[in-house]
């Protein structure tokens, strides 16, 4: 390859020498002398040569890079080297070819430059005698020649300085137009199909440009193409008289051209294009100097085109080299990736092979273990395996666990081993398998030793090589225990008191016991197939609950079910999802009655709790064994300054650590008395206790045994404590204190009685009433219903009585709360009147009168309701049947006035003075029932709100109660 390159270089040098010789032959001795006087032209050739040398240096660098890439082949596997070697050889060949082209191009450019310089000097020598002979020629001609030479030199310099052909052409046409003073100068490029385009143009402002336009082949006739290829210059002074074809004359007229000058631009004896000058303003006679100038410039353009093509070729070669280098890098990277992938595949194959070997060893070990387990399982299982021939005689039996002597069975038939009844159950199954050749599996029951035994029998045919049935193989599994358990579970299922149901995946009942039928109120044939959702209340989201149940697999809770007859029952349930595949077990228990009892108990507890908190004395429950307070009400804080929580933390030293030392013995004696105290016996003690502030206070306690242990010993003590410090300190007011103690004693006795005597009876009565109403609904025995209503009314009356006493007690102890809230007064009164009218029935008429609509005001609705209900109840109670009771509401900006008028028996004047005293009743009431607490409650409720009450009554005429209450705006 190197030898061929050297031969190419020698040939190129020979061609260069030949071109130089031709150039020298053109230039005479005088021309060479003048050439030496043109340093600018020579400088151009030298710079062009240096530029080409730089390009050759870049190509040599590319060659070196290719050689470096060749060294990388040593690192590539043998199977890839051949392909890459061929690619590298192609690249090196292209690089050497590019070098040779550049050498020849450089030589050609130098030779062309020398020929051009020879022509210039020859022309200069031709005009030199004329210039020397005619020194008196006009200064204008000399100036034009000088400008022409400068124009040619500038063109040559531009070619040397830039490789951009468009810039060279644009500058050339502009300078030529300015030099010649014409209207348009253009470079016309001729394409391979005969068409042409204006690639460079310079026009005057008044001339229409044609730059970029493409003209058809008819504009450029074939004969003219041949003449221009021969280098002919065409001058047209007048298109109409200079032998121009008519179509060209028309074309020139269309462009507005009067005269034109056309110089061909040849490249390697091929017509590249035309350098055209148009004069549009008038006819113009073209001078030889102008023709010669365009010829020289055409040569310059040819050199620029050749140089641009060489540069473009070089750029293409460099791009190709870069592309090949990129391909080489990509091939190297792909090869490295391929090697890595192949290596990884080998490693993975090795790992997979090791894994397969390991898995095979594990499988063999597992197979051995499985065989051993099967042998052990069969040895200890209740399965009996045996073979029989076509006559159903036993040929092989295996079941060590059955303790059967196999020698006894071998050779015997079913009739010889079993009773006729058992044999008749077995023989048909086995004969069918022998006949059809198809296995069977059935559950059979036989009697063994007088007991029924259940077996899961599997019978399969035995075949010889000719696929003929020669016997049967059987496996009999003893499932007696399973069937007995199933029967037991079925008995439990049927006899369970709780409802048991089984549903499918859609929530439909597929099994239910009698208790479930009773709970849902449907017979079993109607219950099965129904969905759970059909028994739920309308607002119950069954779909969401069912999805959550299947996710959590277990549910426990309470729900209300709606029976077909419309009754609602409270039930608690527990459910297990998929206790069998696709089946869900639920157990239901009706807790309706328990819920009612719990509700009554809670209401009773709340009632007692309210009583306890309303008591003016401390109420506590103390455990003697655990030595701690189980319960204390809030009054204990007022007595000793400690909160119930602090008292709990003080156990077990409370209250002994706070009792005065002088009273310790007295308290100890009182505690000992509980051991012998009778049921309900109250033990009274007064002692001093230290307040949280440090002062000593006298307490008066009343205690009794609340609960006892199984041995009868006292365990919990219920007591009340009252602060009697002031009684002890103020002997001067002993009488007032005695009255207060009497009142307190009355209250304590009442609360004690309510706590012990009323709590259980009231709870029992109310619960019993609910049960009686359930079993004796409206429309049944009227006498019984009337008695039930009477009992319920009496119980509610007692409840109201306790409520009134509680209100009075709270008012006296300062614990009656006043909680004003925004209220629509007229609407409130109308609702209250309607409620009272319902209770009064048709015997009384209650009329409500309001002068105008009052605004929303702040009042305690609860207290106002208590006031009006007590007054309206008294008006109804003490008025004759058929009379009218009026409730009149008047309103001012600051007060609201309520008047309750009746036509009753009236109140005597003597009784009006004690009207608001607790338990006081009028002397004229006769047998009308009452407690004497209603007006006292009204008085207390008004006082806490700042209201007043006045009475206007006349015996036998009626009574008017007037209530005035301050009304702050809401």
């Amino acid at each position: 390859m190197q030898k061929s390159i050297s031969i190419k270089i020698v040939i190129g040098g020979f061609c260069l020498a030949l071109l130089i010789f031709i150039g020298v032959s053109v230039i005479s001795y005088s021309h060479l002398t003048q050439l030496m006087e043109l340093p600018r032209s020579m400088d151009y050739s030298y710079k062009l040569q240096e530029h080409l040398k730089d390009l050759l240096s870049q190509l040599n660098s590319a060659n070196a890079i290719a050689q470096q890439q060749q060294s990388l082949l040593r690192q590539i596997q043998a199977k890839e080297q051949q392909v890459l070697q061929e690619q590298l050889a192609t690249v090196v060949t292209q690089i050497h070819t590019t070098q040779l082209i550049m050498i020849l191009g450089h030589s050609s450019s130098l030779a062309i430059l020398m020929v051009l310089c020879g022509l210039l000097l020859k022309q200069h020598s031709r005009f030199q005698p004329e210039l020397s002979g005619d020194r008196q020629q006009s200064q204008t001609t000399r100036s034009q020649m000088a400008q022409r030479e400068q124009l040619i030199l500038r063109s040559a310099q531009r070619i040397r300085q830039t490789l951009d052909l468009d810039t060279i052409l644009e500058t050339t046409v502009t300078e030529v137009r300015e030099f010649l003073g014409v209207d348009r100068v253009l470079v016309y490029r001729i394409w391979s199909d005969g068409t042409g385009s204006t690639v460079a143009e310079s026009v005057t402002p008044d001339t229409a440009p044609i730059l970029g336009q493409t003209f058809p082949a008819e504009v450029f006739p074939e004969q003219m193409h041949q003449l221009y290829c021969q280098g002919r210059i065409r001058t047209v002074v007048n298109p109409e008289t200079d032998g121009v074809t008519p179509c060209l004359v028309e074309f020139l007229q269309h462009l507005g051209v009067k005269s034109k000058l056309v110089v061909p631009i040849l490249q390697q004896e091929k017509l590249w294009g035309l350098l055209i000058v148009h004069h549009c303003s008038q006819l113009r006679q073209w001078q030889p100097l102008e023709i010669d100038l365009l010829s020289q410039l055409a040569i310059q353009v040819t050199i620029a085109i050749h140089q641009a093509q060489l540069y473009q070729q070089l750029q293409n070669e460099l791009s190709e080299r870069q592309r090949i280098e990129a391909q080489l890098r990509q091939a190297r990277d792909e090869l490295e990736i391929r090697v890595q992938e192949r290596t990884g595949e080998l490693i993975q194959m090795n790992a997979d092979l090791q894994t397969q070997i390991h898995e095979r060893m594990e499988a063999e070990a597992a197979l051995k273990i499985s065989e051993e387990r099967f042998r052990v399982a069969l040895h200890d299982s209740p399965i009996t395996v045996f073979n029989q021939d076509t006559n159903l005689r036993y040929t092989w039996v295996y079941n060590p666990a059955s303790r059967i002597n196999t020698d006894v069975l071998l050779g015997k038939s079913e009739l010889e081993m079993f009773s006729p009844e058992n044999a008749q159950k077995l023989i048909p199954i086995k004969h069918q398998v022998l006949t059809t050749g198809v296995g069977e599996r059935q559950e059979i029951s036989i009697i063994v030793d007088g007991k029924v035994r259940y077996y899961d029998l599997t019978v399969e045919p035995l075949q010889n090589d000719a696929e003929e049935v020669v016997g049967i193989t059987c496996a009999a599994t003893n499932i007696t225990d399973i069937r007995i358990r199933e029967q037991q579970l079925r008995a439990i299922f049927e006899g369970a008191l709780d409802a048991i149901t089984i549903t499918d995946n859609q929530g439909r009942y597929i099994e239910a016991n009698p208790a479930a039928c009773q709970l849902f109120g449907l017979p079993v044939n109607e219950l099965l197939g129904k969905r759970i959702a059909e028994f739920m209340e309308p607002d119950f989201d069954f779909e969401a609950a069912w999805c959550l149940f299947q996710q959590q697999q277990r549910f426990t809770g309470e729900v209300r079910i709606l029976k077909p007859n419309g009754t609602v029952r409270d039930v608690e349930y527990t459910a297990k999802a998929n206790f069998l595949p696709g089946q869900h077990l639920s157990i239901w228990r009706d807790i309706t009655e328990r819920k009612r009892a719990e509700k009554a108990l809670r209401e009773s507890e709340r009632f007692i709790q309210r009583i306890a908190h309303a008591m003016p004395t401390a109420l506590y429950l103390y455990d003697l064994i655990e030595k701690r307070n189980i319960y204390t009400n809030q009054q204990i804080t007022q007595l000793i300054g400690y909160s119930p929580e602090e008292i709990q933390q003080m156990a077990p030293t409370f209250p002994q650590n706070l009792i005065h030392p002088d009273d310790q013995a007295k308290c100890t004696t009182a505690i000992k008395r509980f051991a012998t105290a009778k049921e309900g016996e109250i033990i009274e003690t007064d002692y001093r206790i230290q307040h949280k502030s440090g002062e000593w206070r006298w307490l008066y306690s009343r205690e009794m045994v609340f609960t006892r242990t199984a041995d009868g010993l006292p365990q919990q003590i219920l007591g009340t404590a009252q602060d009697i410090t002031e009684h002890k300190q103020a002997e001067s007011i002993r009488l007032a204190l005695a009255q207060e103690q009497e009142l307190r004693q009355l209250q304590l006795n009442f609360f004690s009685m309510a706590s012990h005597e009323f709590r259980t009876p009231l709870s029992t009565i109310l619960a019993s009433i609910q049960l009686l109403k359930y079993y004796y609904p409206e429309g049944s025995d009227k006498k019984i219903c009337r008695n039930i209503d009477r009992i319920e009314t009496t119980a509610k009356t007692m409840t109201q009585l306790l409520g009134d006493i509680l209100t009075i007690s709270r008012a006296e102890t300062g614990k009656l709360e006043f909680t004003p809230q925004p209220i629509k007064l007229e609407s409130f009164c109308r609702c209250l009147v309607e409620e009272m009218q319902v209770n009064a029935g048709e015997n009384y008429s209650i009329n409500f009168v309001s002068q105008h609509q009052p605004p929303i005001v702040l009042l305690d609705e609860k207290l106002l309701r208590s006031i009006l209900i007590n007054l309206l109840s008294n008006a109804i109670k003490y008025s004759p049947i058929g009379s009218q009771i009026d409730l009149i509401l008047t309103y001012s900006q600051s007060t609201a006035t309520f008047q309750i008028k009746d036509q009753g028996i009236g109140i005597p004047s003597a009784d009006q003075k004690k009207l608001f005293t607790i338990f006081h009743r009028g002397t004229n009431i006769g047998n009308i029932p009452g407690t004497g607490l209603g007006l006292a409650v009204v008085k207390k409720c008004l006082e806490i709100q700042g209201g007043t009450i006045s009475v206007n009554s006349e015996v036998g005429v009626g009574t008017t109660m007037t209530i005035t209450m301050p009304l702050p705006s809401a």
Side-chain angles (χ1 to χ4, degrees), residues 622 626-629 646-655:
Y622 184 79
E626 297 181 1
K627 297 190 178 200
R628 66 182 182 89
N629 263 50
E646 291 175 326
I647 293 174
Q648 293 286 349
Q649 295 175 1
M650 294 168 64
T653 59
F654 179 85

Side-chain angles (χ1 to χ4, degrees), residues 123-190:
Q123 293 296 330
H124 180 71
S125 63
R126 188 179 69 181
F127 289 107
Q128 186 66 29
E130 297 176 4
L131 294 173
S132 301
D134 192 5
R135 298 293 183 180
Q136 301 300 323
Q137 203 172 25
S138 66
Q139 187 67 27
T140 304
T141 304
R142 291 197 299 273
S143 176
Q144 290 178 353
M145 292 178 66
Q147 291 178 2
R148 186 195 69 169
E149 293 179 357
Q150 291 178 0
L151 181 59
I152 294 173
L153 291 175
R154 284 199 302 271
S155 178
Q157 186 176 7
R158 280 193 300 273
I159 295 172
R160 185 177 71 252
Q161 292 177 349
T162 180
L163 297 175
D164 187 2
L165 181 61
D166 293 337
T167 302
I168 295 173
L169 295 179
E170 290 176 1
T171 306
T172 299
V173 296
T174 300
E175 292 182 349
V176 169
R177 185 186 62 78
E178 293 176 353
F179 178 76
L180 297 180
V182 295
D183 297 312
R184 179 188 291 116
V185 178
L186 60 94
V187 176
Y188 186 77
R189 178 76 166 93
I190 299 174

Side-chain angles (χ1 to χ4, degrees), residues 1-11 92 96 100:
M1 184 181 293
Q2 296 293 337
K3 184 176 179 181
S4 63
I5 296 301
S6 301
I7 293 172
K8 292 178 182 178
I9 294 174
V10 170
I11 294 173
V92 172
H96 288 314
L100 179 59

Side-chain angles (χ1 to χ4, degrees), residues 44-59:
Y44 165 71
S45 64
Y46 293 149
K47 290 187 177 181
L48 179 61
Q49 186 176 3
E50 292 176 356
H51 181 65
L52 294 174
K53 287 180 180 180
D54 293 338
L55 296 177
L56 288 173
S57 175
Q58 295 179 6
L59 290 173

